[in-house]
Amino acid sequence: MENLFVQTMLDSRYTNADLKVRVDISGSAELRIDLYDPSKSEIIFTETKTVSSGQVEFSLPVENPLKWTAETPTLYHLVASLNDTSFVAHRVGFRQVEMKDGLIKVNGQRIVLKGANRHEHHPKFGRAVPFEFLKQDLILMKTHNINAIRTCHQPSDVQLYDLADELGFWVMDEADLECHGFESICDAALSPADRALPFRERQLLTRSDAAKWTSDNPVWEEAYVDRAKQLVHRDQLHPCVMMWSLGNEAFFGRNHKAMYKWIKSFDKSRPIHYEADIYAETMDVYSMMYPPIETIVDFAKDDSKTKPLVLCEFIHAMGNGPGNIKEYIDAFYEHPKLQGGFVWEWANHGLLTKDETTGEEFYAYGGDFGDVPNDSNFIMDGVLHSDHTPTPGLIEYKKSLEPVKVVSYTSQKAIIVNRYDFITLDYLECIYAVLDEGKPTAQTGTIELPSGIGPGRTAELTLPSIQTEMHRERTLQLFFRQRSATLSLPAGFEVAFEDIPLNTPSIPLTLLPQSHDKLVVKETPTLLTIQSPNTIWTFSPIHGKLCSLVKNSHEFLALSPEFTAYRAPTDNDAPQDGSDWKTRLLHLAKSRARGCTWDTRNDGKTFVVQARQRFCPPVLSWSVDLDITYTFDASGALAIRVKGVPQGLNLPRTLPRIGLTMELPPSWAGGNGGGGGSSAPAVTWYGRGPGESYRDKKLSQRVGLYEVSEVSQLWTEYEYPQEGGNRTDTRWVRFTHAGGESVTAQFADLSGDGKTTKARQLFDFHASHYRVADVEAAKHPYELHRKKTENVVLRLDAAHHGLGSGSCGPRTRHEYALLTEEFDFEVLLV
């Protein structure tokens, strides 16, 4: 047997099948085809033919076979035998892929590709990936709701396709073809006028010229078509392969058309993709890389587009990010012509090595081996770290890809939608729990899911009756879990969740009991000392700074609170908003004192210091004028209110954050750094957690009550150091000293009438052992570790700029951007 070709054709109702088998034979023999059922216990069809050299075809009718999909990967077993002495066996999945009604359909149904671009990578062995490591990759995909793989930018290890058949994945199988470098040659040769063109126009011009080297050069046709032949001949037996891809970033020319033509002559059963055919002149689908959401929505609304769109690369996952994933996924389900995409990319490509000085292990990237030229850390752009453990980006991607979504709710009802393509929700159960101010209560149970909720269908859930209180936040948590185990998911595994706020009360700040004592204030020319029964503050009116906060003999401050607006740039910041921050010298901006006044109020129970400062870089002409009011209360509470007015020329368009930065002594760090006997957690907070979160990357982090025993546990270590470890939507955060004393931070809602107790306001906090400048300067974690401080570097932020995916894609969306505008916030320390 020289070749075995198998194709499954379904009837017009997608019920019964015709199994097409074509075998190439050398010599004469008796050829038998046996088709076994999925359990291999029964032959459901057999046929024998006496053949001589050449090609022989079989057509085997199969009545209502179980269909193969990425959600129901049922496999039958085909055995071809010659004279009962030579055997070839292969698994068969009954499924039909077609372009119909302007869409990609499988077994008559539209599908959504919730995919990942996967390279072959192992942190120690490079491209030589052991089978168990490969399998773990695919299991991780399944546990994170990923249903599709693009084998960028070459066919994968043959074992991947066997696993994908078995576990259930849609595979875009890509030819080993890329010649991106010619674009650089042509771009460098552009005239000054052409170089000034908008990026897309310039790219079209350079791609046209670059294609002349090979892709549009007839001398290279045979080499191009050979790549297609190798791809298709090797992988066409696999049901998981639902689309061929002609390569990546090789421009577009006659040789791609020749590849397309040959594939269709051999295998008409699959659509063909190639992104550089930007007008889908030849290909069966449109394709894009990293478009803004508005671009794909406009495409979906354009009736002249009669083919669907697949994003072969989107949400560039480099470093801390990507942001705003949800908006893309929602667009895929709102607009039928948008049929999904593949996150770039699955894993970082770092190789495990050691620092020659310290022996500390780290994951090396371009340039670390003396290699020139190189792409530096541009290979560190996956939703997995180089050791193939999930980054926070993968956790967020999983949340966006959930197969069950709550689309609306009241206090009594919730409407859910099934986002699977083929199966009902009958295999899931819904568990609920109730939180009171973030704490689990005894109210738990099961919510009945209506049976037979089909793909794309909605259903109404009856929610349990739960009492709420005016001044306490209550949340209903829903968990959607597997009733029974599958090949990739254990019983009880959570595939989706949702938090439903049962009330949205205006909750007063938590205050300390009022004191009957008056504050004791001592003044010197350089220092103010304010004392309550349990707290002593010292303040420098010369510098306009709080110097010390001693609570019950425990010093809370190692460095004064200061207004700051910078963060260590993320990979997604660097070419977009981060470039603007650097140009405007935001990283060099500091506060300078402009004046200070103070007075005693409220019959001696309150002392108020008003400091005027200017926040600005050492050069340029922009600034932020600050009015900072410190209100010391006899109860031991301190309120710090900051009003800022940006002004001047060349202001940054956005700010990374607005808030206060201070440092706490090591005794507040927990663990060995604490040096005391307290068993209390070092940090406790009510907000999103347990992992990091940002305004456009937070939906995977549930609102609840969380704690860590050491501040170091809050840090997110990216393989290229950058901003990480922020927590958003915080209600309050408490820091506990080794001796048991604690200080709680809250933000005040300033929209009230001022006559009642202020309500609490959501905020961000960040606590670590690393200063921003040190994070920014480091290129590897081991370099950053050398700069670790024993102090706790604490940020309390009123607002924080989103992340976006600007390292190779759109910058932070407007609704998540922190624009440079006037601001007013108040921090309460109790």
Side-chain angles (χ1 to χ4, degrees):
M1 276 184 281
E2 299 289 339
N3 186 53
L4 175 66
F5 178 87
V6 175
Q7 192 174 74
T8 59
M9 307 295 293
L10 303 183
D11 63 20
S12 60
R13 299 174 64 87
Y14 303 98
T15 302
N16 299 320
D18 189 5
L19 179 63
K20 303 287 187 182
V21 181
R22 187 170 70 233
V23 186
D24 294 338
I25 298 293
S26 296
S28 299
E30 187 175 79
L31 174 64
R32 188 176 79 247
I33 301 295
D34 295 321
L35 181 67
Y36 289 80
D37 69 2
S39 66
K40 303 181 188 177
S41 61
E42 179 184 353
I43 296 178
I44 60 176
F45 192 95
T46 185
E47 185 175 352
T48 303
K49 291 184 178 182
T50 301
V51 297
S52 57
S53 293
Q55 193 174 86
V56 61
E57 296 184 354
F58 294 81
S59 182
L60 287 64
V62 182
E63 185 176 349
N64 196 19
L66 297 172
K67 309 305 183 295
W68 189 98
T69 72
E71 297 162 13
T72 57
T74 303
L75 293 168
Y76 289 74
H77 303 271
L78 181 77
V79 178
S81 60
L82 287 176
N83 299 328
D84 284 333
T85 58
S86 177
F87 301 88
V88 172
H90 209 283
R91 296 182 294 190
V92 174
F94 285 91
R95 61 105 184 94
Q96 182 166 308
V97 185
E98 58 190 333
M99 302 303 300
K100 185 176 180 180
D101 304 323
L103 302 173
I104 307 167
K105 290 190 174 183
V106 179
N107 305 341
Q109 300 294 318
R110 172 186 181 263
I111 63 169
V112 176
L113 301 172
K114 299 181 281 191
N117 280 279
R118 181 187 175 276
H119 280 95
E120 301 279 19
H121 167 266
H122 186 279
K124 292 183 179 179
F125 310 135
R127 301 296 184 195
V129 181
F131 174 75
E132 288 302 323
F133 196 82
L134 164 61
K135 184 177 181 179
Q136 182 57 29
D137 264 4
L138 270 60
I139 295 294
L140 264 178
M141 289 182 183
K142 277 293 185 180
T143 58
H144 289 83
N145 294 326
I146 291 171
N147 71 359
I149 301 168
R150 179 185 179 215
T151 66
C152 58
H153 296 301
Q154 59 276 316
S156 289
D157 184 329
V158 292
Q159 297 176 106
L160 177 140
Y161 303 87
D162 290 330
L163 286 169
D165 287 342
E166 182 179 330
L167 298 175
F169 285 96
W170 308 118
V171 174
M172 179 189 282
D173 204 10
E174 190 153 277
D176 183 14
L177 177 58
E178 178 160 357
C179 49
H180 200 173
F182 290 123
E183 187 170 8
S184 300
I185 296 172
C186 296
D187 192 67
L190 288 176
S191 68
D194 288 339
R195 192 175 297 281
L197 290 171
F199 171 76
R200 193 59 171 168
E201 292 182 38
R202 190 177 81 245
Q203 186 183 56
L204 290 174
L205 187 62
T206 55
R207 283 187 171 188
S208 176
D209 290 339
K212 296 174 184 176
W213 289 85
T214 57
S215 295
D216 205 36
N217 184 343
V219 174
W220 285 82
E221 179 177 326
E222 184 178 349
Y224 272 60
V225 173
D226 182 63
R227 298 293 173 102
K229 289 180 178 179
Q230 292 185 50
L231 172 75
V232 176
H233 280 309
R234 195 194 74 164
D235 296 339
Q236 57 84 21
L237 290 173
H238 291 278
C240 67
V241 177
M242 49 76 64
M243 185 181 298
W244 304 114
S245 178
L246 302 188
N248 181 73
E249 293 178 330
F251 327 114
F252 183 59
R254 69 184 71 195
N255 296 333
H256 292 106
K257 295 178 182 180
M259 295 172 76
Y260 180 95
K261 182 179 179 180
W262 181 87
I263 292 175
K264 288 296 185 179
S265 72
F266 185 85
D267 174 27
K268 296 180 180 179
S269 69
R270 296 172 172 94
I272 300 177
H273 160 276
Y274 181 59
E275 180 268 338
D277 182 7
I278 61 174
Y279 301 114
E281 171 189 340
T282 302
M283 303 306 135
D284 298 311
V285 299
Y286 286 89
S287 181
M288 294 183 189
M289 296 181 179
Y290 313 110
I293 293 164
E294 290 77 10
T295 298
I296 65 173
V297 171
D298 287 345
F299 174 97
K301 294 177 179 179
D302 185 349
D303 292 336
S304 71
K305 300 295 192 295
T306 58
K307 298 176 182 180
L309 172 65
V310 172
L311 304 184
C312 65
E313 298 175 20
F314 81 126
I315 53 174
H316 199 256
M318 191 173 182
N320 188 350
N324 65 268
I325 302 173
K326 174 184 181 294
E327 287 80 359
Y328 284 97
I329 308 303
D330 286 348
F332 297 161
Y333 283 95
E334 183 177 350
H335 302 284
K337 279 195 290 190
L338 307 181
Q339 291 202 247
F342 299 82
V343 62
W344 188 270
E345 62 176 308
W346 178 237
N348 289 354
H349 293 235
L351 297 175
L352 189 63
T353 186
K354 290 184 178 181
D355 171 36
E356 295 180 356
T357 303
T358 65
E360 184 177 351
E361 290 188 329
F362 70 99
Y363 291 97
Y365 49 76
D368 287 332
F369 304 97
D371 48 310
V372 178
N374 61 73
D375 278 334
S376 186
N377 69 317
F378 207 67
I379 59 165
M380 311 294 265
D381 52 4
V383 290
L384 297 184
H385 297 292
S386 294
D387 64 358
H388 287 230
T389 57
T391 70
L394 180 60
I395 309 303
E396 189 75 4
Y397 194 36
K398 175 186 177 179
K399 174 62 180 169
S400 299
L401 299 180
E402 287 176 337
V404 188
K405 286 288 184 183
V406 174
V407 294
S408 64
Y409 56 83
T410 67
S411 58
Q412 293 86 31
K413 304 286 184 180
I415 305 298
I416 62 171
V417 63
N418 176 3
R419 279 189 169 178
Y420 280 113
D421 296 322
F422 294 94
I423 60 178
T424 70
L425 300 183
D426 291 350
Y427 75 99
L428 294 179
E429 61 179 357
C430 180
I431 310 298
Y432 78 85
V434 177
L435 302 184
D436 177 44
E437 286 290 291
K439 296 179 182 179
T441 69
Q443 290 181 276
T444 61
T446 301
I447 296 175
E448 183 179 356
L449 290 175
S451 62
I453 306 171
R457 300 293 183 181
T458 59
E460 185 177 88
L461 303 186
T462 300
L463 302 180
S465 177
I466 298 167
Q467 289 291 112
T468 60
E469 298 180 33
M470 182 178 297
H471 295 308
R472 298 187 68 82
E473 184 178 16
R474 286 210 159 190
T475 305
L476 175 66
Q477 295 188 318
L478 303 182
F479 310 83
F480 297 92
R481 295 173 176 168
Q482 293 272 143
R483 289 186 184 274
S484 56
T486 67
L487 283 173
S488 51
L489 302 178
F493 183 81
E494 183 179 296
V495 300
F497 72 82
E498 193 66 51
D499 290 348
I500 296 177
L502 297 174
N503 57 347
T504 53
S506 177
I507 298 177
L509 292 165
T510 300
L511 303 177
L512 297 173
Q514 288 294 319
S515 173
H516 298 292
D517 297 307
K518 295 183 179 182
L519 291 169
V520 177
V521 180
K522 297 179 181 178
E523 299 183 25
T524 71
T526 59
L527 203 64
L528 301 173
T529 302
I530 308 102
Q531 184 171 348
S532 77
N534 64 354
T535 306
I536 301 173
W537 302 274
T538 57
F539 191 93
S540 169
I542 295 175
H543 299 100
K545 292 182 179 180
L546 179 69
C547 303
S548 174
L549 190 166
V550 178
K551 186 174 183 180
N552 291 325
S553 301
H554 297 300
E555 175 61 73
F556 183 66
L557 295 177
L559 283 179
S560 302
E562 288 192 75
F563 172 81
T564 51
Y566 196 57
R567 71 183 184 196
T570 68
D571 288 315
N572 287 311
D573 288 335
Q576 302 275 359
D577 296 305
S579 176
D580 181 53
W581 301 336
K582 282 289 189 179
T583 300
R584 311 302 178 191
L585 302 182
L586 185 60
H587 59 298
L588 300 179
K590 295 181 179 180
S591 294
R592 276 93 171 165
R594 308 285 286 181
C596 197
T597 60
W598 56 90
D599 64 294
T600 301
R601 301 178 186 176
N602 193 22
D603 196 27
K605 295 180 180 179
T606 303
F607 186 75
V608 178
V609 178
Q610 293 180 301
R612 291 183 295 108
Q613 298 179 359
R614 175 162 289 173
F615 178 79
C616 58
V619 294
L620 301 181
S621 60
W622 68 266
S623 67
V624 180
D625 284 351
L626 300 171
D627 285 321
I628 306 178
T629 303
Y630 296 82
T631 303
F632 304 89
D633 191 84
S635 65
L638 168 61
I640 306 173
R641 183 167 181 173
V642 182
K643 296 181 181 180
V645 180
Q647 62 179 7
L649 300 175
N650 303 311
L651 275 163
R653 187 187 73 91
T654 61
L655 296 174
R657 35 176 291 277
I658 52 172
L660 301 177
T661 299
M662 64 198 79
E663 293 191 16
L664 319 184
S667 52
W668 295 85
N672 294 331
S678 173
S679 60
V683 186
T684 307
W685 76 98
Y686 177 26
R688 290 193 182 270
E692 71 175 22
S693 55
Y694 294 79
R695 67 199 307 179
D696 60 353
K697 193 186 81 171
K698 67 180 183 180
L699 300 180
S700 61
Q701 303 302 309
R702 310 189 77 157
V703 174
L705 194 62
Y706 300 97
E707 62 183 41
V708 293
S709 59
E710 300 179 25
V711 164
S712 59
Q713 294 170 265
L714 296 172
W715 178 246
T716 301
E717 184 147 287
Y718 289 99
E719 290 167 353
Y720 188 92
Q722 58 197 274
E723 161 68 30
N726 187 72
R727 267 74 178 173
T728 195
D729 290 349
T730 308
R731 279 71 169 163
W732 53 260
V733 58
R734 178 183 303 121
F735 296 87
T736 302
H737 186 272
E741 188 57 71
S742 66
V743 173
T744 299
Q746 304 166 82
F747 273 60
D749 182 350
L750 300 175
S751 63
D753 57 13
K755 298 178 181 178
T756 59
T757 301
K758 294 174 182 174
R760 68 187 183 199
Q761 176 78 28
L762 302 182
F763 66 98
D764 290 45
F765 85 92
H766 182 285
S768 76
H769 291 291
Y770 301 109
R771 300 180 178 107
V772 167
D774 294 332
V775 177
E776 183 175 12
K779 305 305 179 187
H780 298 90
Y782 73 85
E783 297 169 339
L784 181 59
H785 298 164
R786 298 171 185 168
K787 298 293 185 68
K788 181 178 179 179
T789 174
E790 295 303 313
N791 287 348
V792 176
V793 182
L794 172 61
R795 292 191 328 225
L796 299 173
D797 290 343
H800 200 113
H801 188 66
L803 298 169
S805 56
S807 53
C808 189
R811 69 183 181 190
T812 302
R813 288 181 62 79
H814 179 80
E815 60 265 37
Y816 301 122
L818 178 54
L819 301 178
T820 303
E821 299 172 340
E822 292 187 18
F823 55 83
D824 187 1
F825 65 85
E826 183 173 278
V827 181
L828 180 67
L829 300 176
V830 297

